[in-house]
């Protein structure tokens, strides 16, 4: 059989689907990471990894039917199993005599027999309890999977290092934890939103007024299209138009009167210069990240790499004001994150935004800013008019931001947007002008893609720089205006495809860009913030990367607990983390630097077995890695990868 020429190989590669190409290190193929030849495993196909919700077959090729549907596993079951036999919470710590079961031993659904419970527990995990080692006490008590390391079976008492526990309880604690009584009031609709209830009527009138204007404008356009209208009808229509304009003026006057009434009977909103000061000059910023941007992950980056600014996962405004336990868990933070911690919310209604902002400002003690998400491309939010849908409704967006600013007390309001909704139709520049002129937002973050693009194209930093220039010019104009001089500047942050220190500094040097926000780059390569500090590409060995995962596991157990349920949650979120973390291609096996965020490698082997395992795209290997820190996975443990391509085994 004759040997193929280089040009024939190249032609064959280019004819294959992008996700199935086999790269040779001497060929520079767009979208394919260039790996040294000795690390490439030939004739093996690595499933493509999608970053969004796009679906479709891999070229409808029967050979690859097992990889056919790409995109997200939207219907994955994330529930974790509980213990079959549960111990009553009043007996978790046998030493705590003050904690009694309110149902009584006979009526309680859970067991009060400690010996019976201990015999029924799953086999213990070997080693010392990570939570006890960290804080000197394990809140999971008898439910802990590492119970033997801090329990005296003879005296049936928990071992406690009270001196260490008292010390760590002050310096190593979670903040923004809402009391149960307040949640109960929210759930029963007994909580009074004083500022919101006064300001919402004013916004309601603005909404009604805007609807009248839009209706009038639409009618005017229809009239212009009709060229056969007689003069008499035209005069009548003009009278109707005048009447509508008069009504419009009355509505405006009513709105101003309502606003005046608001200022007379309620303490006026904080002026921009009276709110908390924000500094976004040359900061290391971790983007709000759904699912993976949880408290343990943010704490990990704060602890290892001293990130300057972090955000909560996106919380929906309506469940917040309804007192949802799961939603109020999202604004929780570690004490190390504040100051510099922002809470991100999403909503399509101004009354929800007002009440959510008021609740956050009054009920949470450690919040630096409230961020409105206007960039989320998820269909569920978009169809509800929230997220990136707000970019097509600037008047509604401005009302929402006005309401948030009026009801958030001293906490400043910030906003995150995209280039626009549709591809090749960017709308960020006119929107940013209105935001600066008509609202009091203190930071505008722009993601350099449209909603329609998702992650199919590289982030457009040239357009981000254009918007940055507009913001800079408007800031200078404010400084020249004596009446507006008291307002602090509006910071502008760029976001998208930052994967190394070169990307960071090159983009930050663009005109008008104050800082650069990092999202997926921080998930795939958390030490990107270390690279930024040292201004160099860092080649982390497999053992160093394994230590990062180990540290995350410890922080996860501290947050979710070391009992059966907590270990299951920690394992699930560790696997979610690895679903991005495994995409890192070691610097030492790359043929050229820097690699790009969206480049995919051919199937490769690492410099040692552990490096190969850490780079596996098979979710079963992710569970195997989790067992190194969290013990063997329970037989009932379930994990479905977010992306369908990772739900298939990678076989050599």
């Amino acid at each position: 059989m004759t040997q193929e020429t280089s040009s024939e190989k190249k032609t064959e590669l280019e004819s294959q689907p992008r996700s199935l190409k086999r790269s040779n290190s001497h060929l520079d193929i767009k979208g394919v990471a260039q790996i040294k030849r000795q690390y490439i495993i030939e004739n093996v196909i690595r499933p493509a990894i999608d970053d969004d919700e796009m679906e479709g077959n891999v070229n409808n090729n029967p050979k690859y039917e097992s990889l056919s549907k790409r995109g997200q596993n939207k219907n994955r079951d994330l529930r974790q199993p509980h213990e079959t036999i549960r111990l009553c919470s009043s007996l978790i710590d046998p030493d705590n005599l003050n904690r009694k079961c309110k149902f009584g031993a006979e009526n309680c659904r859970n067991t009060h027999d400690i010996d019976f419970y201990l015999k029924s527990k799953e086999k213990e995990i070997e080693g010392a309890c990570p939570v006890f080692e960290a804080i000197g006490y394990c809140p999971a008590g008898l439910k802990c999977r590492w119970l033997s390391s801090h329990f005296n079976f003879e005296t049936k008492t928990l071992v406690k290092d009270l001196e260490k526990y008292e010390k760590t309880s002050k310096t190593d604690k979670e903040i923004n934890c809402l009391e149960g009584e307040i949640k109960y009031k929210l759930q029963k609709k007994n909580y009074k939103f004083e500022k919101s209830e006064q300001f919402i009527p004013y916004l309601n009138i603005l909404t009604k007024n805007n609807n009248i204007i839009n209706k009038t404008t639409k009618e005017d356009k229809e009239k212009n299209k009709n060229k056969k209208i007689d003069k008499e009808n035209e005069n009548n229509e003009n009278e109707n138009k005048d009447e509508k304009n008069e009504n419009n003026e009355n509505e405006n006057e009513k709105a101003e009167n309502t606003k005046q009434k608001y200022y007379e009977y309620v303490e006026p909103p904080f002026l921009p210069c009276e709110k908390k000061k924000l500094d976004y000059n040359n900061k290391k910023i971790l983007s709000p990240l759904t699912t993976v941007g949880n408290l343990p992950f943010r704490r990990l980056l704060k602890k290892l790499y001293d990130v300057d600014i972090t955000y909560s996962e996106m919380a929906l405004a309506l469940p917040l004001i309804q007192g949802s336990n799961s939603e109020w868990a999202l604004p929780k933070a570690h004490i190390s994150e504040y100051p510099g911690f922002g809470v991100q919310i999403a909503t399509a209604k101004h009354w929800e935004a007002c009440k959510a902002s008021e609740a956050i400002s009054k009920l949470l003690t450690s919040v630096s800013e409230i961020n409105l998400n206007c960039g989320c491309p998820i269909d569920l939010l978009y169809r509800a008019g929230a997220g990136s849908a707000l970019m097509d409704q600037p008047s509604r967006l401005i009302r929402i931001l006005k309401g948030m600013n009026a009801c958030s007390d001293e906490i400043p309001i910030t906003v995150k947007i995209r280039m626009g909704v549709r591809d090749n139709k960017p709308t960020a520049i006119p929107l940013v002008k209105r935001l600066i002129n008509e609202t009091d937002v203190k930071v505008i973050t722009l993601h350099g893609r449209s909603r329609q693009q998702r992650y199919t194209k590289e982030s457009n930093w040239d357009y981000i720089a254009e918007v940055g220039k507009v913001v800079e010019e408007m800031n200078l104009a404010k400084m020249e205006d004596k009446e507006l001089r008291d307002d602090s500047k509006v910071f502008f942050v760029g976001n998208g495809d930052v994967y190394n220190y070169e990307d960071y500094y090159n983009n930050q040097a663009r005109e008008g860009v104050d800082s650069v926000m990092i999202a997926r780059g921080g998930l795939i390569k958390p030490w990107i913030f270390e690279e930024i500090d040292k201004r160099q590409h860092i080649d982390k060995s497999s053992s160093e990367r394994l230590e990062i995962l180990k540290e995350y596991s410890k922080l996860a157990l501290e947050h979710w607990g070391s009992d059966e349920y907590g270990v299951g949650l920690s394992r699930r979120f560790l696997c979610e983390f690895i679903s991005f973390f495994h995409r890192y291609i070691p610097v030492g096996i790359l043929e050229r630097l820097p690699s790009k965020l969206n480049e995919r490698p051919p199937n490769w082997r690492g410099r040692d077995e552990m490096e190969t395992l850490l780079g596996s795209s098979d979710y079963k290997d992710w569970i195997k890695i989790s067992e190194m820190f969290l013990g063997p996975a329970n037989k009932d443990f379930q994990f479905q990868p977010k992306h369908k391509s990772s739900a298939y085994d990678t076989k050599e």
Side-chain angles (χ1 to χ4, degrees):
M1 193 172 181
T2 59
Q3 188 175 2
E4 291 180 316
T5 64
S6 177
S7 59
E8 288 173 341
K9 287 183 179 179
K10 186 172 181 179
T11 304
E12 180 187 351
L13 272 166
E14 290 174 345
S15 65
Q16 292 178 349
R18 177 178 172 180
S19 59
L20 304 177
K21 289 177 181 176
R22 290 189 298 110
S23 172
N24 291 313
S25 58
H26 64 288
L27 294 178
D28 189 13
I29 302 172
K30 186 177 180 181
V32 177
Q34 300 304 296
I35 293 178
K36 294 176 182 177
R37 184 183 294 276
Q38 63 265 35
Y39 297 107
I40 295 177
I41 304 175
E42 299 288 351
N43 302 319
V44 175
I45 296 167
R46 173 183 288 260
I49 301 166
D50 300 318
D51 287 307
D52 54 14
E53 298 175 343
M54 294 186 306
E55 296 184 3
N57 293 331
V58 183
N59 248 26
N60 295 319
N61 191 332
K63 183 178 179 180
Y64 307 113
E65 283 182 0
S66 61
L67 306 177
S68 58
K69 290 193 175 181
R70 301 165 56 190
Q72 287 189 349
N73 284 313
K74 297 181 182 179
N75 298 319
R76 57 183 185 152
D77 186 1
L78 301 177
R79 292 173 297 177
Q80 297 302 325
H82 289 269
E83 293 176 308
T84 306
I85 299 174
R86 302 185 191 181
L87 181 68
C88 178
S89 58
S90 65
L91 299 172
I92 288 176
D93 184 352
D95 300 338
N96 190 352
L97 301 177
N98 296 324
R99 192 172 182 178
K100 297 181 180 180
C101 178
K102 60 182 179 180
F103 302 105
E106 296 179 357
N107 299 322
C108 185
R109 292 183 301 175
N110 302 320
T111 183
H112 281 242
D113 188 336
I114 293 178
D115 291 330
F116 174 67
Y117 171 75
L118 293 177
K119 289 179 182 178
S120 67
K121 278 183 66 178
E122 288 280 340
K123 184 180 178 181
E124 286 197 13
I125 301 172
E126 296 180 0
C129 172
V131 179
F132 179 80
E133 283 190 327
I135 65 175
Y137 170 67
C138 180
L142 297 180
K143 291 187 175 184
C144 179
R145 291 295 312 279
W146 291 267
L147 181 60
S148 297
S149 64
H150 54 77
F151 183 68
N152 189 323
F153 283 89
E154 293 182 1
T155 60
K156 293 185 179 179
T157 57
L158 292 172
V159 178
K160 301 174 186 177
D161 187 342
L162 296 179
E163 184 178 347
K164 184 177 183 179
Y165 179 65
E166 186 177 346
K167 183 179 178 181
T168 55
S169 62
K170 296 178 181 178
T171 59
D172 186 12
K173 64 178 181 180
E174 294 183 1
I175 52 179
N176 296 336
C177 303
L178 196 62
E179 295 178 2
E181 292 181 8
I182 301 295
K183 285 183 189 175
Y184 184 76
K185 283 186 177 181
L186 289 168
Q187 291 164 0
K188 296 299 180 181
K189 299 183 180 180
N190 292 330
Y191 184 83
K192 291 187 177 180
F193 296 93
E194 297 175 356
K195 286 197 171 184
S196 300
E197 288 170 359
Q198 292 291 331
F199 200 74
I200 288 172
Y202 164 65
L203 294 176
N204 288 341
I205 293 174
L206 289 183
T207 305
K208 184 178 178 182
N209 188 21
N210 186 64
N211 291 337
I212 292 172
I213 293 171
N214 290 337
K215 186 177 179 181
T216 304
T217 305
K218 186 178 180 180
E219 289 176 355
D220 287 342
K221 288 180 179 179
E222 291 176 356
K223 291 171 192 174
N224 291 333
K225 292 179 182 179
N226 190 353
K227 298 179 181 179
K228 297 182 179 180
I229 299 176
D230 57 69
K231 293 182 179 180
E232 186 178 348
N233 289 337
E234 188 175 342
N235 291 333
N236 291 335
E237 286 166 359
N238 286 335
E239 289 177 7
N240 292 334
K241 182 179 176 182
D242 291 339
E243 185 179 345
K244 287 177 182 177
N245 288 336
E246 186 178 348
N247 291 335
N248 186 18
E249 291 175 3
N250 291 334
E251 293 291 348
N252 276 332
E253 186 178 352
K254 188 176 178 182
E256 289 302 321
N257 291 337
T258 304
K259 186 177 180 181
Q260 187 64 34
K261 183 179 178 182
Y262 171 79
Y263 287 136
E264 287 176 0
Y265 295 102
V266 181
E267 184 181 352
F270 282 72
L271 296 173
C273 58
E274 296 173 329
K275 299 229 174 195
K276 290 180 179 178
K277 300 298 180 185
L278 297 177
D279 181 11
Y280 271 74
N281 281 317
N282 306 326
K283 298 298 181 182
K284 294 182 292 184
I285 308 171
L286 178 67
S287 173
L289 299 163
T290 304
T291 305
V292 195
N294 46 55
L295 187 152
F297 179 74
R298 300 193 309 267
R299 185 183 172 191
L300 175 77
L301 296 195
K302 195 75 180 179
K303 181 177 181 180
L304 297 183
Y305 310 114
D306 196 26
V307 175
D308 296 312
I309 298 170
T310 59
Y311 289 89
S312 72
E313 298 175 70
M314 179 185 68
L316 300 179
L318 185 58
L320 284 177
I321 60 182
Q322 291 175 337
S324 167
N325 287 321
S326 59
E327 216 67 23
W328 277 105
L330 300 178
K332 286 183 181 179
H334 189 260
I335 193 171
S336 62
E337 294 184 76
Y338 183 79
F341 175 70
V343 174
Q344 187 183 66
I345 66 171
T347 182
K349 298 179 175 63
H350 61 262
W351 67 269
E352 292 179 358
C354 289
K355 291 187 176 183
S357 299
E358 183 175 356
I360 290 169
S361 64
K362 284 186 176 179
L363 304 177
L364 303 183
T365 58
S366 305
V367 178
S368 300
E369 63 178 90
I370 302 176
N371 181 269
L372 179 66
N373 186 326
C374 300
C376 182
I378 295 174
D379 291 339
L380 186 65
L381 256 68
Y382 183 79
R383 289 167 185 162
S388 54
L390 287 173
M391 295 191 66
D392 274 348
Q393 303 179 65
S395 296
R396 173 181 286 191
L397 170 57
I398 287 167
R399 286 195 300 275
I400 288 173
L401 292 171
K402 280 180 178 289
M404 291 175 66
N405 186 71
C407 301
S408 65
D409 290 338
E410 64 174 356
I411 300 178
I413 303 300
T414 63
V415 64
K416 189 172 189 287
I417 64 175
R418 282 185 175 242
M419 286 173 53
V421 174
R422 286 162 291 282
D423 198 3
N424 299 322
K425 291 185 179 180
T427 58
I429 290 179
L431 180 62
V432 163
K433 288 180 179 179
R434 290 195 64 179
L435 292 179
I436 295 177
N437 285 329
E438 301 179 44
T439 72
D440 293 317
V441 294
K442 303 320 300 172
V443 182
I444 297 174
T445 301
L446 175 62
H447 181 86
R449 293 185 180 88
S450 66
R451 177 187 183 269
Q452 187 179 355
Q453 285 174 340
R454 299 292 176 94
Y455 294 95
T456 58
K457 295 181 181 179
E458 292 183 2
S459 183
N460 189 340
W461 275 92
D462 290 333
Y463 185 77
I464 291 175
E466 288 181 37
V467 181
K469 186 177 180 180
V470 171
V471 175
E472 188 175 50
E473 290 172 353
M474 296 186 74
N475 278 327
L476 290 173
K478 271 190 174 184
M479 292 300 295
E480 293 173 0
D481 190 328
K482 292 181 180 179
E483 294 181 2
L484 300 174
R485 193 173 292 173
D486 287 340
D487 290 356
S488 56
K489 69 170 284 187
V490 176
F491 290 97
F492 181 70
V493 179
N495 171 225
D497 289 351
V498 178
Y499 192 44
N500 53 65
Y501 79 95
E502 293 181 19
D503 292 338
Y504 179 86
Y505 286 109
N506 289 339
N507 292 324
Q508 189 172 271
R510 293 174 183 266
E511 186 175 6
V513 177
D514 296 301
S515 284
V516 172
M517 179 180 282
I518 297 173
R520 289 179 299 155
L523 294 173
I524 299 170
K525 190 171 66 174
W527 57 93
I528 183 175
F529 297 102
E530 183 182 352
E531 290 188 347
I532 291 169
D533 286 336
K534 295 182 178 179
R535 292 177 180 258
Q536 66 181 41
H537 298 289
I538 297 176
D539 186 8
K540 291 283 184 182
S541 65
S542 58
S543 58
E544 288 175 308
R545 279 180 276 148
L546 202 63
E547 280 299 312
I548 293 174
L549 296 179
K550 181 180 180 180
E551 184 64 29
Y552 176 84
S553 301
K554 291 180 179 178
L555 299 179
L557 290 170
E558 283 188 54
H559 178 60
W560 285 299
S562 57
D563 60 348
E564 184 66 35
Y565 185 70
V567 171
L569 272 181
S570 299
R571 193 187 308 277
R572 178 223 154 176
F573 284 105
L574 176 60
C575 288
E576 299 279 13
F577 179 21
I578 299 174
S579 72
F580 286 91
F581 194 75
H582 85 276
R583 286 171 50 182
Y584 170 70
I585 308 169
V587 170
I589 72 171
L590 284 170
E591 194 167 70
R592 62 167 172 79
L593 290 174
S595 61
K596 294 183 178 180
L597 183 60
N598 290 328
E599 288 182 336
R600 297 292 184 263
N603 206 45
W604 56 273
R605 62 170 61 87
R607 293 163 291 187
D608 54 53
E609 290 185 7
M610 182 54 66
E611 190 164 76
T612 303
L613 180 64
L614 289 173
S616 171
S617 58
D618 183 357
Y619 80 100
K620 293 180 181 178
D621 286 332
W622 306 347
I623 296 176
K624 189 185 300 183
I625 293 170
S626 77
E627 292 179 332
M628 299 178 187
F629 320 116
L630 302 173
N634 187 298
K635 61 181 180 180
D636 297 323
F637 173 76
Q638 297 178 10
F639 178 76
Q640 288 180 287
K642 187 174 183 179
H643 301 290
K644 294 175 183 176
S645 57
S646 298
Y648 300 90
D649 298 342
T650 304
K651 299 178 181 179
E652 294 190 12

